């Protein structure tokens, strides 16, 4: 037994679930899981998700960067099984598993296989007076971020519904793309105006060095999907920094979810340079979270992925010039396990091989929710 475990608890969760309602068959699956957790109770938790980030994506980033990644500072590392009710998950079911602890069908936004709402880790945190934030390089209503605050039976055509759902919550920070889903809509509402009335500082830009710390902030940098790095610049690192500054400034506990969404898009396009560019942008954001956690001393940082995208591999390359020759087996997701890295109080709970649903249970236990 690792000495780091002052007290190790084996919690056995019994689950039963059947095939998704859309597939017709009522097959019943029952499984047990054991969750090993430390007794640490971190004051703050930052969960960073690299969408589509498999081990090769991390490896490619480290070779091209030629100096150690921020991720290489983490000492507690594990592997995560990503399947949904199908072997190959999508981002909605993957994020639902991490956000709610339940396997569901692809396309579900924190709804179970019977299309009942599942309470998310962010909602538990809100109920316990934690400050909360959601940041992404996709639209803020895209599957991964939405699964932490929204509940929809399908991920398609629900941008407006999710924007409206967001405003029913008390989440302090929201940053990403999707201005158009908040402005005047066919429902006759202007959700930007409603957000301002609810006390949000709403903007479409994030500026380095800006000292202004509103209590609540929504930053929507693009009408719909945010552009690639060349156009959006340091948005993710700046948004990560700004979110942490806002959420930590009055000394409450906070829970921040950040997503690097476009690692996945590079995988879908089978473009290695796109993947690496996004991976290194994500790593700069991870460094910001890590710097805060090191200074604070009571913040847990967990970095993981929802699934691997592309069946990405490195077949040739040169460590000296940081070049790589790569291949792909698919333009979709694969069943490959993905890494999880943890730093800070409770980090040892994330060592080993685990199911994606265990991310939820470990966080919930460590956060005392
Ligand atoms: Zn994808």
């Amino acid at each position: 037994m690792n000495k780091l475990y002052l007290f190790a608890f084996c919690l056995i969760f019994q689950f039963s679930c059947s095939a998704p309602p859309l597939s017709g068959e009522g097959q019943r699956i029952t499984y047990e899981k054991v969750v090993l957790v430390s007794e640490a109770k971190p004051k703050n938790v930052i969960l960073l998700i690299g969408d589509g980030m498999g081990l090769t994506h991390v490896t490619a980033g480290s070779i091209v960067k030629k100096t150690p990644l921020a991720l290489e500072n983490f000492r507690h590392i594990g592997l995560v099984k990503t399947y949904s009710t199908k072997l190959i998950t999508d981002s909605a079911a993957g994020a639902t598993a991490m956000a709610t602890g339940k396997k569901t069908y692809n396309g579900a936004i924190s709804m179970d296989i019977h299309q009942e709402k599942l309470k998310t880790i962010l909602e538990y945190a809100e109920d316990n007076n934690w400050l909360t934030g959601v940041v992404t390089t996709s639209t803020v209503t895209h599957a991964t971020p939405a699964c932490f605050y929204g509940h929809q039976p399908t991920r398609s055509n629900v941008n407006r519904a999710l924007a409206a759902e967001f405003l029913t919550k008390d989440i302090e920070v929201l940053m990403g793309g999707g201005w158009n889903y908040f402005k005047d809509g066919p429902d006759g509402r202007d959700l930007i105006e409603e957000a301002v009335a609810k006390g949000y500082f709403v903007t479409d830009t994030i500026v380095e060095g800006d000292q202004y710390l509103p209590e609540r902030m929504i930053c929507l940098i693009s009408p719909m999907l945010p552009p690639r790095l060349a156009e959006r610049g340091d948005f993710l690192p700046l948004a990560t920094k700004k979110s942490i500054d806002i959420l930590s400034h009055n000394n409450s506990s906070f829970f921040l979810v950040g997503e690097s969404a476009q690692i996945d898009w590079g995988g879908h396009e089978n473009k290695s340079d796109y993947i690496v560019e996004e991976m290194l942008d994500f790593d700069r954001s991870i460094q910001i979270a890590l710097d805060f956690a090191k200074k604070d001393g009571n913040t847990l940082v967990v970095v993981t992925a929802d699934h691997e995208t592309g069946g990405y591999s490195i077949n040739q390359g040169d460590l000296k010039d940081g070049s790589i020759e790569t291949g792909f087996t698919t333009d979709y997701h694969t069943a490959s396990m993905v890494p999880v890295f943890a730093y800070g109080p409770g980090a040892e709970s994330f060592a080993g091989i685990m199911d994606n649903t265990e991310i939820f249970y470990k966080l919930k236990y460590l956060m005392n929710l």
Side-chain angles (χ1 to χ4, degrees):
M1 178 66 73
N2 190 323
K3 282 181 190 155
L4 284 171
Y5 290 90
L6 271 179
F7 298 95
F9 277 63
C10 289
L11 305 177
I12 297 175
F13 294 96
Q14 297 263 5
F15 289 85
S16 57
C17 64
S18 51
L22 304 177
S23 75
E25 292 283 330
Q27 184 199 355
R28 200 163 176 84
I29 310 161
T30 303
Y31 60 95
E32 287 186 346
K33 62 178 61 216
V34 177
V35 183
L36 191 61
V37 290
S38 92
E39 280 300 280
K41 295 292 173 212
K43 176 166 171 280
N44 312 306
V45 173
I46 303 173
L47 173 63
L48 300 174
I49 301 169
D51 202 303
M53 184 187 75
L55 274 179
T56 309
H57 303 64
V58 177
T59 312
S62 86
I63 294 172
V64 175
K65 190 182 174 199
K66 294 195 281 188
T67 55
L69 296 172
L71 278 174
E72 293 175 53
N73 289 286
F74 290 69
R75 288 290 169 268
H76 296 97
I77 298 165
L79 291 170
V80 181
K81 298 176 184 178
T82 66
Y83 64 92
S84 61
T85 51
K86 292 263 168 60
L87 175 64
I88 308 296
T89 190
D90 79 332
S91 291
T96 297
M98 291 190 277
T100 74
K102 297 288 187 297
K103 297 283 189 190
T104 190
Y105 58 94
N106 291 348
I109 305 287
S110 286
M111 301 278 260
D112 72 9
I113 53 170
H114 309 295
Q115 302 196 337
E116 300 286 342
K117 288 182 184 180
L118 296 165
K119 189 166 178 177
T120 75
I121 188 78
L122 186 146
E123 289 170 325
Y124 278 103
E126 278 288 324
D127 286 354
N128 284 271
N129 300 314
W130 288 50
L131 302 184
T132 55
V134 177
V135 171
T136 179
T137 50
S138 182
T139 53
V140 295
T141 51
H142 215 252
T144 307
C147 283
F148 285 85
Y149 66 82
H151 305 274
Q152 298 289 334
T154 167
R155 62 185 287 175
S156 307
N157 303 316
V158 289
N159 290 301
R160 181 68 171 186
L162 284 164
E165 217 179 336
F166 174 85
L167 282 183
T168 66
K169 313 280 171 174
D170 273 310
I171 299 163
E172 279 69 24
V173 175
L174 183 68
M175 299 190 188
W179 183 278
N180 284 6
Y181 306 132
F182 283 76
K183 71 170 193 189
D184 299 340
D187 52 11
R189 295 169 66 183
D190 183 339
L191 301 181
I192 298 284
E193 253 174 39
E194 289 184 28
V196 171
K198 240 191 130 180
Y200 285 98
F201 170 63
V202 183
T203 177
D204 62 0
T205 50
I206 191 152
V207 184
E208 186 165 13
D210 177 13
Q211 299 296 308
Y212 177 53
L213 290 182
E215 293 287 319
R216 294 168 163 212
M217 177 166 169
I218 295 177
C219 175
L220 299 168
I221 58 165
S222 51
M224 291 186 278
L225 293 174
R228 277 181 69 162
L229 192 74
E231 205 181 319
R232 71 168 197 268
D234 284 336
F235 166 72
L236 187 61
L238 292 176
T240 305
K241 174 79 167 61
K242 189 74 174 179
S243 301
I244 292 171
D245 287 349
I246 291 172
L247 297 173
S248 66
H249 85 281
N250 77 356
N251 215 28
S252 302
S253 281
F254 73 84
F255 175 61
L256 173 65
V257 185
E259 186 207 17
S260 173
Q262 299 190 30
I263 297 170
D264 176 64
W265 304 357
H268 283 286
E269 291 185 24
N270 286 0
K271 285 184 180 157
S272 187
D273 59 340
Y274 193 176
I275 290 171
V276 168
E277 175 182 293
E278 293 295 336
M279 188 63 227
L280 296 181
D281 177 62
F282 188 37
D283 199 61
R284 285 188 289 275
S285 311
I286 293 164
Q287 185 67 58
I288 284 163
L290 204 52
D291 288 346
F292 174 81
K294 281 182 178 166
K295 202 170 83 184
D296 178 68
N298 204 2
T299 298
L300 171 66
V301 181
V302 177
V303 183
T304 189
D306 49 356
H307 53 74
E308 195 272 352
T309 304
Y312 186 37
S313 64
I314 299 167
N315 305 322
Q316 292 285 343
D318 189 330
L319 283 171
K320 278 197 226 79
D321 67 12
S323 65
I324 48 175
E325 286 174 34
T326 58
F328 294 87
T329 62
T330 176
D331 62 4
Y332 195 60
H333 310 156
T334 71
S336 179
M337 286 194 280
V338 293
V340 55
F341 306 82
Y343 175 90
E348 58 271 34
S349 297
F350 293 87
I353 292 183
M354 69 202 76
D355 193 80
N356 55 3
T357 52
E358 288 182 62
I359 304 278
F360 167 84
Y361 290 105
K362 288 171 198 283
L363 289 177
K364 187 166 177 286
Y365 188 84
L366 293 166
M367 292 163 75
N368 211 15
L369 300 176

